[in-house]
Amino acid sequence: MRITVFIFAALAAAMAFGEATAEKSAKRSRRSRAYTGGFVMRPAQGKSIRFANAQSAVPESVLKAAAVEISRSIGINIEVSPLAEANANPSSLRDKKTAAVVVVRTEKEPSAPTMLVAPEDAWAVLNVGALAKDGADAEVLSERVRKELWRTTAIMLGASDSTFRPCLLEPVHSLAELDALKAKVVCPEPYGSIQRNAKDLGCGSPQFATYRAACREGWAPEPTNDVQKAIWEETRKLPSTPIKIEFDPARGK
């Protein structure tokens, strides 16, 4: 009985202590806000990314919602504005206030790709027509556009860049920057992604084996030296005494 009373008393004390601590924390927080005024966010300075809308298959509100989501996630300003001339050269849409442009339009050519990205020139084209070619309803199409705006913007802004330096994947926006790259090859970091995507596209991987194993498996190239020639001839030599297969009545075979 005494133990039970002690446990309840301890729990009550812990709850009271927790409430008191929470109240003190709340008071400190209120005092801090009263003193500092809380937190505010200064909008990003400098140029913006422009989503130039030249289509009507999806509402412009879809583009604006995606712009807000991407902007908050990666910390840059993204603006959405209409584009009267759908076939305008994307590079001509960049100005003193626009760092990069994503033109959202419906290409006239049915075989046009879903996206065209020119990261070195800081522009991209998102083809809404390619996203709607299977007759998708408005909700599905809107979600496809949202996703592809994310993907297109990320790739345009260097999502393919590697954290390793030096690397040929470093962003390049001029011939001088290209000349200044010290790396001669792509660094190993993205090799896994490259190989995985290549496999998804149907590419195979090279197979490594000893020359003897390759000869036994039947895919070895012609020998290039005496050792390989000896293995080549050895593995292709027919047996001098052919294998005899005799019937075993006891086993029935």
Side-chain angles (χ1 to χ4, degrees), residues 87-104:
N87 294 322
N89 185 345
S91 62
S92 68
L93 303 178
R94 297 177 60 203
D95 53 34
K96 294 181 179 179
K97 296 182 178 180
T98 307
V101 179
V102 177
V103 176
V104 186

Side-chain angles (χ1 to χ4, degrees), residues 137-156:
D137 59 32
E139 183 178 357
V140 171
L141 181 59
S142 294
E143 178 62 8
R144 288 177 180 175
V145 170
R146 186 194 71 79
K147 290 179 178 178
E148 288 289 33
L149 277 171
W150 252 113
R151 288 164 50 82
T152 303
T153 303
I155 295 171
M156 180 183 66

Side-chain angles (χ1 to χ4, degrees), residues 119-135:
E120 297 185 12
D121 298 299
W123 63 260
V125 175
L126 177 57
N127 178 18
V128 177
L131 300 175
K133 62 184 179 182
D134 63 348

Side-chain angles (χ1 to χ4, degrees), residues 54 62 64-65 69 71 73 93 96 112 123-125 142 148 165 187 192 196 213 227 237 246 253:
V62 174
K64 290 183 176 180
E69 180 182 4
S71 178
S73 297
L93 303 178
K96 294 181 179 179
W123 63 260
V125 175
S142 294
E148 288 289 33
R165 291 292 188 276
C187 57
R196 182 170 59 252
V227 174
K237 187 189 303 183
E246 298 180 356
K253 58 181 180 179

Side-chain angles (χ1 to χ4, degrees), residues 44-65:
Q45 303 298 302
K47 298 181 180 181
S48 300
I49 307 299
R50 179 187 176 189
F51 288 173
N53 184 26
Q55 57 81 48
S56 58
V58 297
E60 192 168 278
S61 59
V62 174
L63 277 63
K64 290 183 176 180

Side-chain angles (χ1 to χ4, degrees), residues 87-219:
N87 294 322
N89 185 345
S91 62
S92 68
L93 303 178
R94 297 177 60 203
D95 53 34
K96 294 181 179 179
K97 296 182 178 180
T98 307
V101 179
V102 177
V103 176
V104 186
R105 66 191 183 194
T106 298
E107 300 288 3
K108 295 180 179 180
E109 177 58 48
S111 61
T114 302
M115 71 167 74
L116 285 174
V117 184
E120 297 185 12
D121 298 299
W123 63 260
V125 175
L126 177 57
N127 178 18
V128 177
L131 300 175
K133 62 184 179 182
D134 63 348
D137 59 32
E139 183 178 357
V140 171
L141 181 59
S142 294
E143 178 62 8
R144 288 177 180 175
V145 170
R146 186 194 71 79
K147 290 179 178 178
E148 288 289 33
L149 277 171
W150 252 113
R151 288 164 50 82
T152 303
T153 303
I155 295 171
M156 180 183 66
L157 296 181
S160 58
D161 189 11
S162 172
T163 56
F164 285 85
R165 291 292 188 276
C167 181
L168 272 185
L169 289 179
E170 294 176 46
V172 169
H173 298 109
S174 70
L175 295 178
E177 290 182 359
L178 179 62
D179 294 338
L181 285 180
K182 297 179 180 179
K184 302 299 182 183
V185 297
V186 169
C187 57
E189 182 193 20
Y191 283 11
S193 297
I194 294 171
Q195 292 166 350
R196 182 170 59 252
N197 282 300
K199 183 178 180 180
D200 290 343
L201 291 171
C203 295
S205 299
Q207 181 180 350
F208 297 95
T210 64
Y211 191 76
R212 183 177 295 277
C215 285
R216 288 174 176 172
E217 294 174 9
W219 57 270

